[in-house]
Amino acid sequence: MSYSFPSASEKTFGYDKIQVDKLIGQARTQFQDPSLFLITSDEIRRAEFDLVLGGYQIAKVDAAMESLENEFAAREIKRQRLSRGEWAVEDRLARLTEIVSGRLQRKKRQRFKNTGLLIRGYDRSQVDNLCESIQAHLVAGKPMKLNHVRRAVFTLRRGGYAEAQVDAFLDRVMEILHIEVNR
């Protein structure tokens, strides 16, 4: 079952078509029937596909995934607002902001667990620079786009920050930004 994503050439890597089609199929089914709970915006954001020769073009799939994530996040926030009230959404935003702010208040190069010298992790300076932008947004209201966080890529370095910890932090930041966009 194809969803009209263009394929990469036979000698170029792209996303595994079966994996992409499966996830997009779930998303389409839920999109058509919002009462279903097949997949969440978080699952869409964290989705990973194997790279195969002749797979779907990566940029096209990534763009579709970003749109799906935004739409599903908006629906989830609206559903929470309808079922639990506006206060629930604002409470969630306040709790997430408090958690994220606590991490941002730590000293540079000490915001997350280090991997040690034998294991590679995210470049601490690059992560700290993004953290400074996030802090400017939360404290001073400096505008921040979802894609600035979503598309953040960090170089791997020995003794860097633990990837799982940084990724979990960025998921919380994404949830904050989604709530702000859907107020």
Side-chain angles (χ1 to χ4, degrees):
M1 179 189 321
S2 176
Y3 294 103
S4 302
F5 291 115
S7 295
S9 71
E10 292 179 10
K11 295 180 180 182
T12 304
F13 283 99
Y15 288 141
D16 183 283
K17 292 178 179 183
I18 294 170
Q19 293 172 349
V20 172
D21 287 346
K22 180 180 177 186
L23 188 135
I24 297 293
Q26 286 179 315
R28 281 196 172 182
T29 300
Q30 183 170 320
F31 191 82
Q32 292 168 350
D33 185 355
S35 67
L36 297 175
F37 295 99
L38 302 175
I39 192 164
T40 66
S41 61
D42 288 338
E43 291 170 320
I44 293 169
R45 179 174 48 257
R46 291 187 200 121
E48 294 181 4
F49 307 111
D50 293 335
L51 294 175
V52 297
L53 291 173
Y56 287 137
Q57 288 181 10
I58 294 170
K60 300 293 185 181
V61 174
D62 285 349
M65 296 295 287
E66 289 171 8
S67 295
L68 280 174
E69 178 194 343
N70 292 342
E71 179 60 32
F72 277 56
R75 286 180 176 206
E76 291 162 8
I77 293 164
K78 182 179 178 183
R79 187 180 307 125
Q80 184 178 27
R81 195 174 272 123
L82 291 172
S83 67
R84 299 183 61 214
E86 182 65 33
W87 67 270
V89 175
E90 293 302 319
D91 181 60
R92 178 77 178 147
L93 177 61
R95 286 186 292 127
L96 287 167
T97 302
E98 183 178 344
I99 291 166
V100 167
S101 294
R103 181 70 65 176
L104 294 172
Q105 290 172 7
R106 295 179 182 188
K107 293 180 182 178
K108 285 184 179 182
R109 303 183 62 81
Q110 297 177 7
R111 289 190 168 123
F112 303 94
K113 181 179 176 183
N114 293 327
T115 60
L117 295 177
L118 298 177
I119 300 173
R120 294 176 187 258
Y122 291 147
D123 181 282
R124 291 186 290 178
S125 296
Q126 292 172 347
V127 173
D128 284 339
N129 287 340
L130 180 59
C131 285
E132 296 299 319
S133 296
I134 294 166
Q135 190 165 25
H137 172 74
L138 294 177
V139 174
K142 183 178 176 189
M144 176 170 268
K145 303 267 186 201
L146 283 162
N147 282 343
H148 184 70
V149 176
R150 179 187 284 137
R151 294 182 181 167
V153 177
F154 308 110
T155 305
L156 294 177
R157 302 243 189 261
R158 293 186 192 281
Y161 284 140
E163 293 178 36
Q165 211 175 37
V166 174
D167 290 345
F169 170 79
L170 294 178
D171 283 343
R172 288 186 175 120
V173 173
M174 287 295 295
E175 192 171 347
I176 289 169
L177 295 174
H178 276 298
I179 292 171
E180 291 176 352
V181 166
N182 290 288
R183 279 188 154 163

